[in-house]
Amino acid sequence: MTRRNPDRYTPEDWKMAGRTVGAILSNRWLVYTECELCELRIRADLKRIARARGTHFVLWGRSTTCRRMGCPGRVTFWVRPHGARGDVAMT
Protein backbone atom coordinates (compact mmCIF):
# COMPACT_ATOMS: atom_id res chain seq x y z
CA MET A 1 0.00 0.00 0.00
CA THR A 2 1.65 3.14 -1.17
CA ARG A 3 -0.61 5.89 0.10
CA ARG A 4 0.55 7.91 3.08
CA ASN A 5 -2.76 8.26 4.92
CA PRO A 6 -4.13 4.88 6.03
CA ASP A 7 -7.28 6.60 7.28
CA ARG A 8 -8.22 7.21 3.63
CA TYR A 9 -8.02 3.54 2.61
CA THR A 10 -11.23 1.91 1.48
CA PRO A 11 -12.34 -1.54 2.63
CA GLU A 12 -11.14 -2.84 -0.76
CA ASP A 13 -7.66 -1.43 -0.05
CA TRP A 14 -7.54 -3.25 3.30
CA LYS A 15 -8.76 -6.41 1.60
CA MET A 16 -5.85 -6.28 -0.84
CA ALA A 17 -3.34 -5.61 1.98
CA GLY A 18 -4.57 -8.58 4.05
CA ARG A 19 -6.06 -10.97 1.52
CA THR A 20 -5.24 -14.25 3.30
CA VAL A 21 -4.98 -15.46 6.87
CA GLY A 22 -1.20 -15.58 6.43
CA ALA A 23 -1.09 -11.94 5.32
CA ILE A 24 -3.29 -10.88 8.24
CA LEU A 25 -1.00 -12.74 10.64
CA SER A 26 2.11 -11.12 9.19
CA ASN A 27 0.43 -7.68 9.41
CA ARG A 28 -0.45 -8.49 13.04
CA TRP A 29 -4.03 -7.33 12.62
CA LEU A 30 -6.75 -8.22 15.12
CA VAL A 31 -9.68 -10.21 13.71
CA TYR A 32 -12.88 -10.89 15.63
CA THR A 33 -16.34 -12.25 14.93
CA GLU A 34 -19.63 -10.65 15.85
CA CYS A 35 -22.96 -12.48 15.82
CA GLU A 36 -25.70 -10.68 13.94
CA LEU A 37 -28.35 -12.09 16.28
CA CYS A 38 -26.97 -12.16 19.84
CA GLU A 39 -24.09 -9.68 19.25
CA LEU A 40 -21.51 -12.00 20.86
CA ARG A 41 -17.96 -10.87 20.00
CA ILE A 42 -15.09 -13.37 19.99
CA ARG A 43 -11.50 -12.82 18.97
CA ALA A 44 -10.66 -15.08 16.03
CA ASP A 45 -7.80 -17.51 16.62
CA LEU A 46 -5.94 -16.89 13.36
CA LYS A 47 -3.15 -19.33 14.17
CA ARG A 48 -5.70 -22.09 14.67
CA ILE A 49 -7.47 -21.17 11.42
CA ALA A 50 -4.12 -21.20 9.61
CA ARG A 51 -3.30 -24.66 11.00
CA ALA A 52 -6.71 -26.05 10.05
CA ARG A 53 -7.24 -24.37 6.66
CA GLY A 54 -3.79 -23.17 5.63
CA THR A 55 -2.22 -19.72 5.44
CA HIS A 56 -3.76 -19.10 2.00
CA PHE A 57 -7.30 -19.38 3.40
CA VAL A 58 -9.41 -16.25 2.78
CA LEU A 59 -11.80 -14.93 5.47
CA TRP A 60 -13.12 -12.09 3.30
CA GLY A 61 -16.73 -12.77 2.29
CA ARG A 62 -17.11 -15.69 4.70
CA SER A 63 -19.53 -16.24 7.54
CA THR A 64 -20.01 -19.06 10.01
CA THR A 65 -22.43 -20.05 12.76
CA CYS A 66 -22.35 -18.40 16.15
CA ARG A 67 -20.42 -20.27 18.84
CA ARG A 68 -22.82 -19.34 21.67
CA MET A 69 -24.76 -22.40 22.76
CA GLY A 70 -28.30 -22.33 21.38
CA CYS A 71 -27.82 -19.26 19.18
CA PRO A 72 -28.90 -19.86 15.57
CA GLY A 73 -27.18 -16.66 14.38
CA ARG A 74 -24.41 -16.16 11.84
CA VAL A 75 -21.24 -14.20 12.52
CA THR A 76 -19.43 -11.56 10.49
CA PHE A 77 -15.64 -11.37 10.54
CA TRP A 78 -14.18 -7.94 11.35
CA VAL A 79 -10.56 -6.84 10.97
CA ARG A 80 -8.83 -3.99 12.81
CA PRO A 81 -5.88 -2.87 10.62
CA HIS A 82 -3.23 -0.58 12.09
CA GLY A 83 -3.99 3.00 11.09
CA ALA A 84 -7.57 2.40 9.99
CA ARG A 85 -10.30 4.76 11.11
CA GLY A 86 -12.25 1.85 12.52
CA ASP A 87 -12.92 -1.82 12.18
CA VAL A 88 -13.55 -3.15 8.68
CA ALA A 89 -16.25 -5.75 7.99
CA MET A 90 -14.81 -8.63 6.01
CA THR A 91 -17.99 -9.09 3.97
Side-chain angles (χ1 to χ4, degrees):
M1 308 211 23
T2 59
R3 286 181 257 168
R4 293 182 183 186
N5 298 327
D7 61 328
R8 293 187 183 164
Y9 290 174
T10 66
E12 189 64 31
D13 294 330
W14 292 119
K15 183 177 180 179
M16 294 307 295
R19 187 99 182 117
T20 64
V21 172
I24 294 170
L25 279 168
S26 68
N27 290 336
R28 292 191 263 160
W29 292 348
L30 169 72
V31 175
Y32 65 92
T33 62
E34 183 173 9
C35 180
E36 298 166 353
L37 189 62
C38 71
E39 298 179 356
L40 175 70
R41 281 188 177 187
I42 299 176
R43 186 176 189 160
D45 188 348
L46 294 176
K47 290 180 182 177
R48 183 173 154 239
I49 293 170
R51 278 193 310 270
R53 301 285 185 143
T55 57
H56 297 293
F57 186 70
V58 177
L59 288 174
W60 294 90
R62 299 215 185 239
S63 179
T64 189
T65 56
C66 181
R67 293 179 68 184
R68 178 173 277 167
M69 188 184 304
C71 180
R74 305 277 304 167
V75 299
T76 300
F77 287 95
W78 291 82
V79 64
R80 184 175 296 158
H82 304 297
R85 277 193 171 167
D87 300 343
V88 179
M90 299 178 80
T91 55

